Amino acid sequence: MLIDFFLSLKESGLPVSVKEYLNLCEAMQKGLAYGSVDDFYYLCRTCLIKDEANYDRFDRAFAHYFKGVENLDAALTKLFEKDIPDEWLKMLSEKTLSDEEKAQIEAMGGWDKLMETLRQRLEEQKGRHQGGNKWIGTAGTSPFGAYGFNPEGIRVGQDKSRNKSAVKVWDQREYRDYDSQVELGIRNVQMALRRLRKFARSGAEEELDLDHTIKATASNAGHLDIKMVPERHNRVKVLLFLDVGGSMDEYIHRCEELFSAAKTEFKHLEYFYFHNFFYESVWRNNRLRHTEKFSTWDVLNKYGKDYKLIIVGDATMSPYEILQPGGSVEHWNEEAGSVWLQRLLATYKNAAWINPSQEAHWQWTQSVTITRQLMGDRMYPMTVEGLDRAMKALL
Amino acid sequence: MKFTGSQKYITTQDLMLAVNAAISLQRPLLIKGEPGTGKTMLAEQVAASLGKPLLQWHIKSTTKAQQGLYEYDAVSRLRDSQLGDEKVNDIRNYIHQGTLWQAFNADKQVVLLIDEIDKADIEFPNDLLRELDRMEFYCYETRETIRAKHRPIIFITSNNEKELPDAFLRRCFFHYIRFPDHDTMQQIVDVHFPGLKKALLKEALQVFFDIREMPGLKKKPSTSELLDWIKLLVAEDIPVDALKSGDANKLIPPLYGALIKNEQDVHLFERLIFLSKRRG
Ligand SMILES: Nc1ncnc2c1ncn2[C@@H]1O[C@H](COP(=O)(O)OP(=O)(O)O)[C@@H](O)[C@H]1O
Ligand SMILES: [Mg+2]
């Protein structure tokens, strides 16, 4: 039955592997979640799910699979099919009984008698509810209180105080907010950016392999033994422009991810900020943008044409901001934004515009269409696949 | 062998189960969560409550997997050889054991904490797969295989700065420590300040959670910051009333510097309070 559950998780798109499934089986065999549905749920989660962004999807899949109480019934009966161990019964009772109930137990003849009765109840219950609609009975006034055979009755630590045991843990959907369908994680971005890593072996040039030389010399009892390796450099140079305009606010997090990934990937990374579109100045420190400007001309002169140009922005603004002198919302620009972009593109042949807004919406925004035309169609969405395309175009 | 929580550390049932599953099946447990959610402390507490030594390997951005195994100090050896030191004849004198080597070599089982693995290069976890799987590695210099005498109990923490490779994840059990809810936080504070006045605790938590709710904060205050702040409140003998206000948005809480440390956040915070005051 576990295998069906596993397959249903796979079906729901969760990245679960057989290795992890086997882990779960082993854990079940070791009795790690013996007798408690909550524990079973937690155990499945800890074995199978490796990213909190998938917790919510897992909760839904779990609820779906075990929704029909029939299912849960059959499934758990199978799971707990082995004889129910005394120890577990004892734990169950200790955790769930009030003092009053414990007194009643004493009156009934103590623990042993209770175990016996509890076991009987359990057997009855299994039979009675087979295929029925309530696997967890309500024993009502029995010495077992309202818990009866209630696997959820076992709660330790603080969970008791939370007093929300009525709702199944997985039905609470507590991880809803974590499932952001993130297309980009830093790792993914880095992987995509790595496409750009061109290790050029330049000619027959060699460089000193210091580590190796020291080792070789040392093992040579101190007589110098020089080792050389062919020179290998990450020769890719990147000039990155990031839009920090107001409409970009909602993408800030993703841009930061992209940025921090890029920073670790490229030795030669130069970055600047701009607002909506390119004009005569850009800046490097967003907080000092009014005092510490860099002239766009200087940037063009300073960084050679072997740099690859990556622009990140949503290109969402009024068309005037691109096409008209004086169209900028912030200052008077002598020359239109489009002129500046064309200057950049004339210098940097390898260029890509990465747009964090949804590709499907691009066609509805005039400024995006204009920008795309200016870029010669080299605009890519900020998804893993889009970055991949962008990197290919930059090579 | 089972971890059942500790006096000093508030554990939730799901976390306890994850810990015990990892111990019992001898797999590393990867713990993720915001900074200050008690990831590092968990390893310490498990070690303490199981009575096992704790070995910690703190990862930095420059840490290489090899450093956890061993490092060969060839430069010292070269120098010694030039000085004619006897030591030079035994290469072992120049092998520095890393944390993994120490853990493998220990005479009794240890708890091994690989802290903040996400700080390292993204390939770092992949470079440790074999060692964590087989619990052994080969030392080329001394031509010996270092094998774990006792499989250590391994905790690995991540602040989620980088994603970890799938192959690595598949080998771990995983638990995400959610930021504590109000009740859990109360218990955590109780553990640290058993005698704290109920009223003060209540107001302090209210302010704390309100601040965490504020939109746009770059760094939300964490458990450790709350604890530091409460410590200050107690030390300065701040009266409960100073924390009270009909509307938390209008109150500048005393000593809030302990909660909000990032300069930009302080600006934002002051501006928000100013605005909501002006709005009346
Ligand atoms: N569950 C908890 N129980 C008790 N104290 C906690 C708990 N979680 C966090 N703390 C407190 O917060 C501090 C920070 O925890 P730490 O383990 O350093 O966090 P992390 O490693 O997740 O960044 C701890 O030193 C401890 O004082
Ligand atoms: Mg830590």
Side-chain angles (χ1 to χ4, degrees):
Chain A
M1 88 91 208
L2 264 185
I3 189 84
D4 289 342
F5 172 52
F6 172 72
L7 290 174
S8 81
L9 290 181
K10 251 189 132 57
E11 240 162 64
S12 72
L14 286 161
V16 284
S17 72
V18 175
K19 189 181 170 80
E20 287 154 325
Y21 169 66
L22 292 176
N23 274 343
L24 174 62
C25 292
E26 197 185 334
M28 288 304 291
Q29 249 167 22
K30 293 219 161 147
L32 277 159
Y34 199 52
S36 154
V37 188
D38 279 3
D39 281 358
F40 174 64
Y41 158 79
Y42 290 139
L43 188 66
C44 290
R45 201 179 67 186
T46 197
C47 290
L48 299 172
I49 309 299
K50 307 300 166 67
D51 184 350
E52 73 279 8
N54 287 331
Y55 274 9
D56 187 53
R57 204 179 314 166
F58 173 73
D59 283 356
R60 279 178 286 154
F62 192 95
H64 183 74
Y65 187 80
F66 292 108
K67 183 180 60 198
V69 184
E70 243 170 339
N71 246 342
L72 189 68
D73 196 355
L76 292 170
T77 315
K78 276 239 176 66
L79 276 179
F80 307 138
E81 190 154 71
K82 299 183 228 161
D83 284 335
I84 295 139
D86 279 354
E87 203 186 324
W88 176 65
L89 289 178
K90 203 163 196 158
M91 181 173 77
L92 175 75
S93 319
E94 275 170 0
K95 297 281 184 205
T96 56
L97 296 183
S98 70
D99 286 347
E100 204 176 306
E101 286 163 338
K102 280 184 194 149
Q104 275 181 318
I105 290 165
E106 288 308 313
M108 265 180 73
W111 283 109
D112 290 345
K113 179 84 178 111
L114 175 83
M115 289 303 142
E116 193 47 42
T117 322
L118 195 52
R119 195 188 307 276
Q120 253 171 9
R121 286 284 157 83
L122 226 46
E123 290 302 322
E124 279 167 28
Q125 205 163 26
K126 260 197 209 165
R128 196 167 66 233
H129 292 306
Q130 201 63 282
N133 60 0
K134 250 198 186 152
W135 181 60
I136 297 154
T138 44
T141 55
S142 79
F144 317 115
Y147 292 96
F149 174 40
N150 181 353
E152 286 173 289
I154 306 180
R155 289 186 166 272
V156 291
Q158 52 162 17
D159 276 16
K160 238 187 302 188
S161 71
R162 282 194 189 167
N163 200 16
K164 57 184 179 195
S165 55
V167 188
K168 296 192 190 67
V169 211
W170 53 91
D171 278 340
Q172 293 165 16
R173 307 272 314 273
E174 288 181 325
Y175 292 89
R176 202 188 305 244
D177 295 345
Y178 292 84
D179 185 6
S180 42
Q181 296 265 308
V182 266
E183 300 103 321
L184 284 178
I186 292 192
R187 187 181 170 77
N188 288 336
V189 179
Q190 263 174 318
M191 285 305 178
L193 292 179
R194 277 203 177 167
R195 277 193 173 277
L196 256 196
R197 264 194 186 176
K198 246 195 334 192
F199 283 111
R201 264 193 195 170
S202 31
E205 260 180 79
E206 287 196 316
E207 59 183 1
L208 180 67
D209 181 348
L210 192 59
D211 272 355
H212 204 177
T213 302
I214 292 175
K215 261 190 196 148
T217 306
S219 37
N220 210 9
H223 297 286
L224 213 57
D225 182 1
I226 290 186
K227 300 284 177 195
M228 302 292 283
V229 282
E231 195 181 18
R232 257 162 74 92
H233 281 310
N234 183 356
R235 303 200 149 257
V236 174
K237 301 174 178 177
V238 173
L239 191 54
L240 180 69
F241 287 96
L242 296 155
D243 181 1
V244 286
S247 60
M248 283 292 289
D249 282 356
E250 55 180 303
Y251 311 115
I252 275 195
H253 181 65
R254 282 207 270 153
C255 288
E256 277 175 354
E257 278 191 347
L258 175 74
F259 182 61
S260 72
K263 232 160 70 177
T264 49
E265 274 315 295
F266 303 114
K267 268 224 174 65
H268 305 279
L269 173 77
E270 301 297 335
Y271 62 93
F272 294 94
Y273 297 110
F274 65 102
H275 187 190
N276 280 2
F277 218 79
F278 292 99
Y279 305 106
E280 60 283 352
S281 50
V282 289
W283 57 95
R284 193 149 212 167
N285 183 337
N286 200 25
R287 280 206 283 138
L288 302 175
R289 51 182 291 194
H290 296 295
T291 46
E292 236 184 61
K293 286 181 188 158
F294 286 78
S295 135
T296 311
W297 274 123
D298 286 350
V299 173
L300 278 163
N301 290 333
K302 182 160 177 197
Y303 303 105
K305 56 183 190 296
D306 53 338
Y307 271 82
K308 300 189 188 285
L309 175 67
I310 302 180
I311 303 163
V312 183
D314 62 358
T316 300
M317 66 206 94
S318 120
Y320 296 112
E321 290 177 62
I322 303 178
L323 299 173
Q324 285 288 323
S328 162
V329 281
E330 287 205 318
H331 71 302
W332 178 262
N333 53 309
E334 295 288 340
E335 289 173 293
S338 56
V339 174
W340 284 105
L341 179 60
Q342 275 157 344
R343 268 186 199 129
L344 282 167
L345 293 176
T347 305
Y348 307 108
K349 294 279 181 272
N350 296 308
W353 188 298
I354 294 168
N355 190 332
S357 71
Q358 272 190 37
E359 194 171 5
H361 298 164
W362 291 355
Q363 52 178 317
W364 310 116
T365 312
Q366 206 187 347
S367 60
V368 175
T369 309
I370 297 169
T371 309
R372 223 169 135 184
Q373 277 165 4
L374 287 169
M375 287 301 298
D377 231 22
R378 288 170 296 176
M379 183 179 281
Y380 307 92
M382 199 171 186
T383 60
V384 171
E385 178 269 339
L387 275 183
D388 231 39
R389 274 196 281 148
M391 295 306 122
K392 272 186 208 148
L394 283 173
L395 278 178
Chain B
M1 185 172 45
K2 225 174 152 197
F3 174 62
T4 50
S6 90
Q7 288 298 315
K8 293 187 201 134
Y9 187 78
I10 301 298
T11 328
T12 51
Q13 191 192 356
D14 49 347
L15 176 56
M16 205 137 72
L17 195 109
V19 170
N20 284 319
I23 294 178
S24 162
L25 269 70
Q26 308 193 316
R27 303 280 194 287
L29 177 62
L30 172 65
I31 303 277
K32 219 158 99 175
E34 270 184 48
T37 41
K39 300 182 294 295
T40 305
M41 194 180 178
L42 173 72
E44 293 163 5
Q45 289 300 312
V46 172
S49 79
L50 297 179
K52 296 186 183 298
L54 174 69
L55 290 180
Q56 309 197 29
W57 183 17
H58 292 288
I59 308 301
K60 294 185 295 192
S61 62
T62 52
T63 306
K64 298 275 173 288
Q66 180 65 33
Q67 294 167 344
L69 311 181
Y70 66 90
E71 283 176 291
Y72 171 41
D73 186 359
V75 177
S76 298
R77 191 168 189 223
L78 180 59
R79 192 194 51 221
D80 286 354
S81 88
Q82 240 104 59
L83 298 173
D85 195 317
E86 277 297 297
K87 261 168 68 182
V88 83
N89 295 319
D90 190 355
I91 197 162
R92 264 166 237 277
N93 291 326
Y94 303 93
I95 302 281
H96 298 300
Q97 300 183 355
T99 320
L100 240 55
W101 185 323
Q102 291 165 24
F104 287 2
N105 218 14
D107 286 324
K108 57 183 276 203
Q109 190 184 37
V110 301
V111 174
L112 169 66
L113 168 64
I114 304 178
D115 211 11
E116 311 199 354
I117 194 166
D118 55 325
K119 288 265 186 307
D121 182 81
I122 47 171
E123 290 305 332
F124 176 88
N126 278 336
D127 295 341
L128 283 177
L129 289 185
R130 230 185 105 80
E131 286 71 18
L132 293 180
D133 255 0
R134 323 234 340 217
M135 291 285 164
E136 64 175 47
F137 61 87
Y138 187 71
C139 175
Y140 295 94
E141 283 75 5
T142 61
R143 299 201 181 77
E144 59 181 326
T145 300
I146 315 300
R147 213 168 264 124
K149 294 185 189 162
H150 308 276
R151 275 184 97 96
I153 297 172
I154 303 179
F155 291 97
I156 300 168
T157 75
S158 162
N159 287 326
N160 210 6
E161 280 182 25
K162 294 194 189 88
E163 278 169 58
L164 303 169
D166 286 338
F168 173 78
L169 291 174
R170 278 201 289 278
R171 285 166 168 82
C172 300
F173 282 2
F174 174 78
H175 183 81
Y176 179 80
I177 303 192
R178 218 153 41 104
F179 194 83
D181 61 15
H182 195 281
D183 284 1
T184 311
M185 193 54 99
Q186 196 160 336
Q187 295 182 47
I188 293 177
V189 177
D190 267 347
V191 163
H192 290 268
F193 304 95
L196 194 68
K197 286 195 212 80
K198 286 276 166 294
L200 184 70
L201 175 60
K202 181 165 166 279
E203 297 304 328
L205 281 180
Q206 181 72 44
V207 171
F208 173 73
F209 279 106
D210 281 349
I211 291 183
R212 275 187 59 90
E213 295 277 292
M214 280 173 61
L217 278 194
K218 267 201 147 37
K219 163 89 179 65
K220 295 183 177 182
S222 71
T223 312
S224 9
E225 273 124 15
L226 171 68
L227 295 174
D228 288 347
W229 183 53
I230 293 182
K231 198 170 176 180
L232 282 178
L233 293 179
V234 173
E236 304 272 316
D237 213 5
I238 304 285
V240 181
D241 287 341
L243 297 174
K244 262 191 207 151
S245 122
D247 181 356
N249 287 329
K250 285 181 210 148
L251 168 96
I252 295 206
L255 308 167
Y256 70 90
L259 291 173
I260 306 173
K261 293 174 174 158
N262 179 307
E263 196 187 335
Q264 269 165 284
D265 284 348
V266 172
H267 284 306
L268 176 77
F269 180 70
E270 285 168 349
R271 213 170 59 224
L272 283 177
I273 299 247
F274 174 74
L275 284 176
S276 70
K277 264 193 180 153
R278 206 171 49 174
R279 250 185 272 125

